[in-house]
């Protein structure tokens, strides 16, 4: 099932999405996501980021097989840096070099506390696309990476959560200014299950939280006026215009 | 006004607290926190953490005047690591050395985006106490500090938000195992206004978010069986028992 969060005449709701449009959903993080029966035509809805997380965590250096030699490491991104499809990514006005990193993201469906490592994948509601926008200049200046990862608009997410995806070999294509680069999640040093086993000891995760699994491809520089798109098979395409800060 | 979050027979609510008990509050983050008129006796309510933030950010090396020579730096703590008064701080089972850091915390009342630096203090709803529990062993191992700061229960907060406090010279006393240490917020390298000016460029902050302003005193090691208390004049006392993980 494709789960979205939409803004429509009736307000903001979760909805499932099929060829005919949206059907509002009650309690998508509950035991069974129930359809409310209310339908909203696609033309009358605007996609928002599909979650409002409390925690957004990304995996550092999870790019390729050689990273397996490094201990796992993770970083937090400010939850409010999340924006949805079509929202502008705003470049800071201090001239830093900003890149896009296209990533497969896990959406957590239930709390991971007290769940055995072997069962952690059952805490995952589904998968979506995330763009881990990063200020490379700030990243080399700030060893904590806080100045690099959490700027307003630096975490585009969407367009939908797919509850039925095999994340093992998904092609991720990042396109900026017409130039596309593709890599596969099978190149990630650590897979979703290993990532959750690492993270669940280190921090509490709960419904709506996002785990960015790492960028198997190269990061791509973005500039004002670009559109940046991240496409993942089965998850659609996440496109955001890049603008100056003010 | 003292603003709390309480669990009571009617559920979980915000409330103002005076000598006679609690008065439920509607919309404490709205333009005017309105009393709902419903009263709950103190004996029939349990204090929770006074906020459910989406962002918990702390200031690194803001301990004393010599830190002014360093550029400001900040770190994120997982939002779900927040616990309330009386909740157990659970030590990880991997043997790391854990310390308590008693800090004055700002509670953000409205979004800081697009607010001029000179007006940022008007985004602060009030102040509360936070304990920035930190695994020192993990902190020296993980340059991103993620493994050190975000464990479940590592951010006790409370007991209340004081909306009418001058943060300039507040005594912070940390007591563990009967030994107390006191320092003043006037020792902090950067004050709340400077902290907000720094942070508001780097990340979006909004209602309920917490900004930990730094520990002017020494961090204090905690062990299983201890009670750790942080007292700040005007903000009460935040006490949490320290337990093993499982």
């Amino acid at each position: 099932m494709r789960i979205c969060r939409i803004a429509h005449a009736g307000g903001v709701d979760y909805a499932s999405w099929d060829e005919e449009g949206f059907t509002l959903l009650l309690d998508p993080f509950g035991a069974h996501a129930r359809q409310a029966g209310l339908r909203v035509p696609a033309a009358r809805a605007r996609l928002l980021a599909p979650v409002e997380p409390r925690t957004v965590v990304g995996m550092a250096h999870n790019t390729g097989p050689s990273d397996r030699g490094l201990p796992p490491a993770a970083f937090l991104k400010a939850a409010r840096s999340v924006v949805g499809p079509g929202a502008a990514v705003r470049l800071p006005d201090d001239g830093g070099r900003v890149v896009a990193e296209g990533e497969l993201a896990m959406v957590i469906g239930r709390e991971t506390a007290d769940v055995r490592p072997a069962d952690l994948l059952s805490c995952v509601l589904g998968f979506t696309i995330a763009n881990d926008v990063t200020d490379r200049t700030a990243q080399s200046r700030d060893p904590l990476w806080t100045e690099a990862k959490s700027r307003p608009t630096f975490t585009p997410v969407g367009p939908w959560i797919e509850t039925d995806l095999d994340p093992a070999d998904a092609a991720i294509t990042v396109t900026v200014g017409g130039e596309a680069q593709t890599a596969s999640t099978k190149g990630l040093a650590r897979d979703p299950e290993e990532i959750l086993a690492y993270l669940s000891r280190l921090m509490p995760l709960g419904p709506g939280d996002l785990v960015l699994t790492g960028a198997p491809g190269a990061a791509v520089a973005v500039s004002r006026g670009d559109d940046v798109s991240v496409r993942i098979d089965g998850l659609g395409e996440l496109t955001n215009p890049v603008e100056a800060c003010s």
Side-chain angles (χ1 to χ4, degrees), chain A:
Chain A
M1 178 167 60
R2 294 179 178 182
I3 297 176
C4 304
R5 226 172 115 249
I6 59 170
H8 62 104
V12 171
D13 285 293
Y14 276 96
S16 61
W17 188 9
D18 57 43
E19 313 75 33
E20 301 187 19
F22 296 99
T23 306
L24 297 192
L25 278 178
L26 299 169
D27 198 22
F29 295 96
H32 304 280
R34 290 161 294 146
Q35 292 189 328
L38 293 164
R39 293 193 58 82
V40 177
R44 295 199 182 282
R46 180 167 62 91
L47 284 173
L48 306 176
V51 284
E52 285 193 300
R54 293 187 71 203
T55 293
V56 179
V57 55
M59 293 301 290
H61 56 249
N62 197 38
T63 300
S66 60
D67 289 322
R68 278 200 79 86
L70 298 171
F75 57 89
L76 294 171
K77 301 193 76 169
R80 298 177 193 270
S81 70
V82 169
V83 293
V89 169
R90 298 203 309 272
L91 301 177
D93 53 12
D94 54 14
R97 183 177 148 255
V98 178
V99 299
E101 298 185 6
E103 312 201 4
L104 177 72
M106 288 189 268
V107 178
I108 303 297
R110 64 183 182 100
E111 292 188 357
T112 55
D114 306 321
V115 175
R116 298 181 311 155
D119 299 330
L120 281 167
L121 279 179
S122 71
C123 297
V124 177
L125 175 69
F127 294 88
T128 188
I129 304 173
N131 185 343
D132 179 22
V133 180
T134 302
D135 182 331
R136 280 280 189 256
T137 310
Q139 200 173 16
S140 57
R141 174 179 73 229
D142 176 7
L144 299 175
W145 292 2
T146 310
E147 297 194 10
K149 294 280 191 182
S150 284
R151 308 269 182 155
T153 76
F154 265 33
T155 314
V157 181
W160 62 73
I161 303 166
E162 174 56 68
T163 60
D164 188 25
L165 179 93
D166 179 356
D169 188 5
I172 303 180
T173 301
V174 181
T175 305
V176 178
E179 302 236 356
Q181 304 191 33
T182 300
S184 168
T185 58
K186 78 174 187 284
L188 295 175
R190 292 181 167 87
D191 67 18
E193 191 164 14
E194 294 170 297
I195 289 169
L196 284 178
Y198 171 67
L199 292 177
S200 68
R201 289 188 311 111
L202 300 184
M203 62 182 66
L205 293 169
D209 288 347
L210 282 169
V211 178
L212 277 49
T213 59
V220 184
V222 295
S223 307
R224 182 176 61 175
D226 284 335
D227 281 334
V228 52
S229 288
V230 184
R231 180 161 48 85
I232 301 184
D233 290 345
L235 300 182
E237 186 158 13
L238 174 66
T239 300
N240 299 85
V242 180
E243 298 179 359
C245 210
S246 50

